[in-house]
Amino acid sequence: MKFLMLVSTFFLVSTVSISAQKFISKSGFVKFHSHTPVEEIMATNNVAASIFDPSSGEVQVSMLIRSFSFKKKLMQEHFNENYMESDVYPKSTFKGKVVNIDQVDFKKDGVYTIQIEGDITIHGVTKELLTQGTIEIQKGIPTAKTDFTVLTKDFNIQIPDLVKDKIAKEIKVTVNIQYNAK
Amino acid sequence: MKRKIYIPISVIIFLGIGIWSFVNQKSAVTVGTKNPEYEITAEKLYMTFSENETEANKIYLNKVIKLTGKVQKAEHTEEGVNVYLSTEGESSGVICNFEPGVVDTDDFDEQNNVTIQGLCSGYLFDVVLVKCDLVR
């Protein structure tokens, strides 16, 4: 009887500690890419922060707009000062969840396809985002990847007529976050 | 007569090259050669942001900072290197992001003090400095 109680207590404690574990990343990678026949614009950010709760599937990502790095100096200045107004809106965030989290087995290495839904905030405007991605599990630690497209007009980003041909209306966003145990 | 034509053409060519160079200026990989606007410890910078982010942003955002602190860890990111400077008794501190080719993780020993110059891009869990260079 004592043995049974001991075993059940052990399982209870294990379950609680697994469900309480969260994953964190402070070096998430985010890239955006604008393609037009006139100009290719690409910027990357290697310091996005994220918290991921594997038991509920809840995920939060936040990044600093001024952490995006461009190849051309003038592009970076225009991006921060004219289009993203990064002194007024210094961060972009995503708050949502992996809808099919029950299909991800954190104890088994592999790549799992995931559905993500939530709210994305860019330039002070919040929109619903539905997208697909993957979670790769290696020794219990997840790496999440996704890409999606955002429209500049949806986030009230004004592009002057003079450079309209150089900046795409649709911007492709790529995300790659390797988590650590919290 | 020919000279009269050559002069305006030369001016137009030089002006064209000047404008083209200005528009296509490459973004600096580091701010290491710039004069820092602030010299501060990682501890003090983190405390200023954690106490009042809005006020700290007014002082430090987009400013070149020369920072001294203790290395918690250095890791490769998708493209470059991130160095974490720790603060006493806190799980967060300052993250210094180096672009590819500037440093390697071997340049940093855990628990050693380093001086890094970078551009402050704001505060998430930690204060973030980008375009960093190691002051050797």
PDB file of all heavy atoms in Angstrom, chain B residues 48-65:
ATOM      1  N   THR B  48      18.430  50.778 -14.501  1.00  0.00           N
ATOM      2  CA  THR B  48      17.733  51.981 -14.992  1.00  0.00           C
ATOM      3  C   THR B  48      16.523  51.584 -15.833  1.00  0.00           C
ATOM      4  O   THR B  48      15.438  52.142 -15.684  1.00  0.00           O
ATOM      5  CB  THR B  48      18.706  52.861 -15.825  1.00  0.00           C
ATOM      6  OG1 THR B  48      19.902  53.021 -15.087  1.00  0.00           O
ATOM      7  CG2 THR B  48      18.113  54.220 -16.121  1.00  0.00           C
ATOM      8  N   PHE B  49      16.698  50.575 -16.712  1.00  0.00           N
ATOM      9  CA  PHE B  49      15.579  50.136 -17.561  1.00  0.00           C
ATOM     10  C   PHE B  49      14.526  49.394 -16.753  1.00  0.00           C
ATOM     11  O   PHE B  49      13.334  49.577 -16.976  1.00  0.00           O
ATOM     12  CB  PHE B  49      16.091  49.253 -18.708  1.00  0.00           C
ATOM     13  CG  PHE B  49      16.447  50.037 -19.938  1.00  0.00           C
ATOM     14  CD1 PHE B  49      17.759  50.415 -20.173  1.00  0.00           C
ATOM     15  CD2 PHE B  49      15.484  50.407 -20.861  1.00  0.00           C
ATOM     16  CE1 PHE B  49      18.099  51.152 -21.299  1.00  0.00           C
ATOM     17  CE2 PHE B  49      15.810  51.146 -21.992  1.00  0.00           C
ATOM     18  CZ  PHE B  49      17.126  51.521 -22.208  1.00  0.00           C
ATOM     19  N   SER B  50      14.959  48.537 -15.814  1.00  0.00           N
ATOM     20  CA  SER B  50      13.961  47.737 -15.085  1.00  0.00           C
ATOM     21  C   SER B  50      13.141  48.615 -14.131  1.00  0.00           C
ATOM     22  O   SER B  50      11.990  48.311 -13.840  1.00  0.00           O
ATOM     23  CB  SER B  50      14.624  46.580 -14.341  1.00  0.00           C
ATOM     24  OG  SER B  50      15.515  47.063 -13.389  1.00  0.00           O
ATOM     25  N   GLU B  51      13.705  49.724 -13.682  1.00  0.00           N
ATOM     26  CA  GLU B  51      12.952  50.620 -12.786  1.00  0.00           C
ATOM     27  C   GLU B  51      11.961  51.490 -13.551  1.00  0.00           C
ATOM     28  O   GLU B  51      10.837  51.701 -13.107  1.00  0.00           O
ATOM     29  CB  GLU B  51      13.930  51.501 -11.998  1.00  0.00           C
ATOM     30  CG  GLU B  51      14.530  50.777 -10.798  1.00  0.00           C
ATOM     31  CD  GLU B  51      15.753  51.476 -10.234  1.00  0.00           C
ATOM     32  OE1 GLU B  51      15.918  52.678 -10.460  1.00  0.00           O
ATOM     33  OE2 GLU B  51      16.535  50.778  -9.579  1.00  0.00           O
ATOM     34  N   ASN B  52      12.389  52.012 -14.712  1.00  0.00           N
ATOM     35  CA  ASN B  52      11.483  52.874 -15.483  1.00  0.00           C
ATOM     36  C   ASN B  52      11.901  52.852 -16.955  1.00  0.00           C
ATOM     37  O   ASN B  52      12.765  53.619 -17.388  1.00  0.00           O
ATOM     38  CB  ASN B  52      11.525  54.308 -14.927  1.00  0.00           C
ATOM     39  CG  ASN B  52      10.416  55.167 -15.518  1.00  0.00           C
ATOM     40  OD1 ASN B  52       9.946  54.912 -16.622  1.00  0.00           O
ATOM     41  ND2 ASN B  52      10.011  56.184 -14.774  1.00  0.00           N
ATOM     42  N   GLU B  53      11.248  51.946 -17.702  1.00  0.00           N
ATOM     43  CA  GLU B  53      11.630  51.732 -19.104  1.00  0.00           C
ATOM     44  C   GLU B  53      11.448  52.997 -19.947  1.00  0.00           C
ATOM     45  O   GLU B  53      12.305  53.325 -20.774  1.00  0.00           O
ATOM     46  CB  GLU B  53      10.785  50.575 -19.678  1.00  0.00           C
ATOM     47  CG  GLU B  53      11.193  50.180 -21.071  1.00  0.00           C
ATOM     48  CD  GLU B  53      10.289  49.097 -21.669  1.00  0.00           C
ATOM     49  OE1 GLU B  53       9.473  48.515 -20.930  1.00  0.00           O
ATOM     50  OE2 GLU B  53      10.409  48.851 -22.876  1.00  0.00           O
ATOM     51  N   THR B  54      10.331  53.710 -19.727  1.00  0.00           N
ATOM     52  CA  THR B  54      10.040  54.900 -20.545  1.00  0.00           C
ATOM     53  C   THR B  54      11.125  55.960 -20.362  1.00  0.00           C
ATOM     54  O   THR B  54      11.622  56.526 -21.336  1.00  0.00           O
ATOM     55  CB  THR B  54       8.664  55.485 -20.145  1.00  0.00           C
ATOM     56  OG1 THR B  54       7.746  54.408 -20.094  1.00  0.00           O
ATOM     57  CG2 THR B  54       8.168  56.511 -21.121  1.00  0.00           C
ATOM     58  N   GLU B  55      11.484  56.212 -19.108  1.00  0.00           N
ATOM     59  CA  GLU B  55      12.513  57.227 -18.832  1.00  0.00           C
ATOM     60  C   GLU B  55      13.871  56.777 -19.370  1.00  0.00           C
ATOM     61  O   GLU B  55      14.621  57.578 -19.926  1.00  0.00           O
ATOM     62  CB  GLU B  55      12.599  57.498 -17.326  1.00  0.00           C
ATOM     63  CG  GLU B  55      11.450  58.327 -16.780  1.00  0.00           C
ATOM     64  CD  GLU B  55      11.259  59.660 -17.499  1.00  0.00           C
ATOM     65  OE1 GLU B  55      12.243  60.393 -17.656  1.00  0.00           O
ATOM     66  OE2 GLU B  55      10.122  59.939 -17.931  1.00  0.00           O
ATOM     67  N   ALA B  56      14.167  55.472 -19.185  1.00  0.00           N
ATOM     68  CA  ALA B  56      15.454  54.953 -19.655  1.00  0.00           C
ATOM     69  C   ALA B  56      15.560  55.055 -21.176  1.00  0.00           C
ATOM     70  O   ALA B  56      16.622  55.381 -21.706  1.00  0.00           O
ATOM     71  CB  ALA B  56      15.624  53.504 -19.207  1.00  0.00           C
ATOM     72  N   ASN B  57      14.437  54.796 -21.866  1.00  0.00           N
ATOM     73  CA  ASN B  57      14.436  54.918 -23.328  1.00  0.00           C
ATOM     74  C   ASN B  57      14.782  56.340 -23.764  1.00  0.00           C
ATOM     75  O   ASN B  57      15.501  56.545 -24.738  1.00  0.00           O
ATOM     76  CB  ASN B  57      13.062  54.547 -23.898  1.00  0.00           C
ATOM     77  CG  ASN B  57      12.985  53.059 -24.247  1.00  0.00           C
ATOM     78  OD1 ASN B  57      13.980  52.420 -24.558  1.00  0.00           O
ATOM     79  ND2 ASN B  57      11.778  52.514 -24.172  1.00  0.00           N
ATOM     80  N   LYS B  58      14.251  57.328 -23.000  1.00  0.00           N
ATOM     81  CA  LYS B  58      14.524  58.735 -23.352  1.00  0.00           C
ATOM     82  C   LYS B  58      16.017  59.044 -23.272  1.00  0.00           C
ATOM     83  O   LYS B  58      16.532  59.855 -24.007  1.00  0.00           O
ATOM     84  CB  LYS B  58      13.766  59.669 -22.398  1.00  0.00           C
ATOM     85  CG  LYS B  58      12.283  59.767 -22.701  1.00  0.00           C
ATOM     86  CD  LYS B  58      11.610  60.704 -21.726  1.00  0.00           C
ATOM     87  CE  LYS B  58      10.104  60.561 -21.806  1.00  0.00           C
ATOM     88  NZ  LYS B  58       9.437  61.190 -20.651  1.00  0.00           N
ATOM     89  N   ILE B  59      16.703  58.371 -22.353  1.00  0.00           N
ATOM     90  CA  ILE B  59      18.142  58.646 -22.171  1.00  0.00           C
ATOM     91  C   ILE B  59      18.990  57.823 -23.143  1.00  0.00           C
ATOM     92  O   ILE B  59      19.867  58.349 -23.817  1.00  0.00           O
ATOM     93  CB  ILE B  59      18.586  58.317 -20.720  1.00  0.00           C
ATOM     94  CG1 ILE B  59      17.724  59.079 -19.710  1.00  0.00           C
ATOM     95  CG2 ILE B  59      20.066  58.631 -20.502  1.00  0.00           C
ATOM     96  CD1 ILE B  59      17.881  58.578 -18.270  1.00  0.00           C
ATOM     97  N   TYR B  60      18.718  56.518 -23.206  1.00  0.00           N
ATOM     98  CA  TYR B  60      19.677  55.613 -23.850  1.00  0.00           C
ATOM     99  C   TYR B  60      19.293  55.094 -25.240  1.00  0.00           C
ATOM    100  O   TYR B  60      20.163  54.594 -25.959  1.00  0.00           O
ATOM    101  CB  TYR B  60      19.926  54.391 -22.949  1.00  0.00           C
ATOM    102  CG  TYR B  60      20.568  54.746 -21.630  1.00  0.00           C
ATOM    103  CD1 TYR B  60      19.879  54.582 -20.432  1.00  0.00           C
ATOM    104  CD2 TYR B  60      21.867  55.243 -21.582  1.00  0.00           C
ATOM    105  CE1 TYR B  60      20.467  54.895 -19.214  1.00  0.00           C
ATOM    106  CE2 TYR B  60      22.467  55.568 -20.368  1.00  0.00           C
ATOM    107  CZ  TYR B  60      21.763  55.384 -19.190  1.00  0.00           C
ATOM    108  OH  TYR B  60      22.349  55.708 -17.998  1.00  0.00           O
ATOM    109  N   LEU B  61      18.005  55.156 -25.611  1.00  0.00           N
ATOM    110  CA  LEU B  61      17.584  54.546 -26.880  1.00  0.00           C
ATOM    111  C   LEU B  61      18.316  55.157 -28.078  1.00  0.00           C
ATOM    112  O   LEU B  61      18.391  56.382 -28.209  1.00  0.00           O
ATOM    113  CB  LEU B  61      16.067  54.699 -27.069  1.00  0.00           C
ATOM    114  CG  LEU B  61      15.466  53.882 -28.208  1.00  0.00           C
ATOM    115  CD1 LEU B  61      15.583  52.389 -27.948  1.00  0.00           C
ATOM    116  CD2 LEU B  61      13.997  54.247 -28.429  1.00  0.00           C
ATOM    117  N   ASN B  62      18.851  54.267 -28.915  1.00  0.00           N
ATOM    118  CA  ASN B  62      19.577  54.659 -30.134  1.00  0.00           C
ATOM    119  C   ASN B  62      20.849  55.460 -29.841  1.00  0.00           C
ATOM    120  O   ASN B  62      21.305  56.225 -30.684  1.00  0.00           O
ATOM    121  CB  ASN B  62      18.640  55.444 -31.062  1.00  0.00           C
ATOM    122  CG  ASN B  62      19.042  55.307 -32.509  1.00  0.00           C
ATOM    123  OD1 ASN B  62      19.626  54.302 -32.914  1.00  0.00           O
ATOM    124  ND2 ASN B  62      18.758  56.326 -33.299  1.00  0.00           N
ATOM    125  N   LYS B  63      21.395  55.286 -28.657  1.00  0.00           N
ATOM    126  CA  LYS B  63      22.642  55.966 -28.290  1.00  0.00           C
ATOM    127  C   LYS B  63      23.788  54.940 -28.226  1.00  0.00           C
ATOM    128  O   LYS B  63      23.571  53.774 -27.880  1.00  0.00           O
ATOM    129  CB  LYS B  63      22.514  56.638 -26.913  1.00  0.00           C
ATOM    130  CG  LYS B  63      21.439  57.726 -26.852  1.00  0.00           C
ATOM    131  CD  LYS B  63      21.906  58.991 -27.558  1.00  0.00           C
ATOM    132  CE  LYS B  63      21.047  60.197 -27.264  1.00  0.00           C
ATOM    133  NZ  LYS B  63      19.649  60.098 -27.673  1.00  0.00           N
ATOM    134  N   VAL B  64      25.004  55.411 -28.565  1.00  0.00           N
ATOM    135  CA  VAL B  64      26.182  54.539 -28.486  1.00  0.00           C
ATOM    136  C   VAL B  64      26.643  54.486 -27.026  1.00  0.00           C
ATOM    137  O   VAL B  64      26.863  55.521 -26.402  1.00  0.00           O
ATOM    138  CB  VAL B  64      27.313  55.064 -29.400  1.00  0.00           C
ATOM    139  CG1 VAL B  64      28.580  54.220 -29.230  1.00  0.00           C
ATOM    140  CG2 VAL B  64      26.867  55.064 -30.851  1.00  0.00           C
ATOM    141  N   ILE B  65      26.736  53.271 -26.499  1.00  0.00           N
ATOM    142  CA  ILE B  65      27.080  53.082 -25.083  1.00  0.00           C
ATOM    143  C   ILE B  65      28.318  52.201 -24.955  1.00  0.00           C
ATOM    144  O   ILE B  65      28.435  51.164 -25.626  1.00  0.00           O
ATOM    145  CB  ILE B  65      25.904  52.416 -24.327  1.00  0.00           C
ATOM    146  CG1 ILE B  65      24.664  53.320 -24.406  1.00  0.00           C
ATOM    147  CG2 ILE B  65      26.263  52.155 -22.865  1.00  0.00           C
ATOM    148  CD1 ILE B  65      23.426  52.707 -23.796  1.00  0.00           C
TER     149      ILE B  65
END
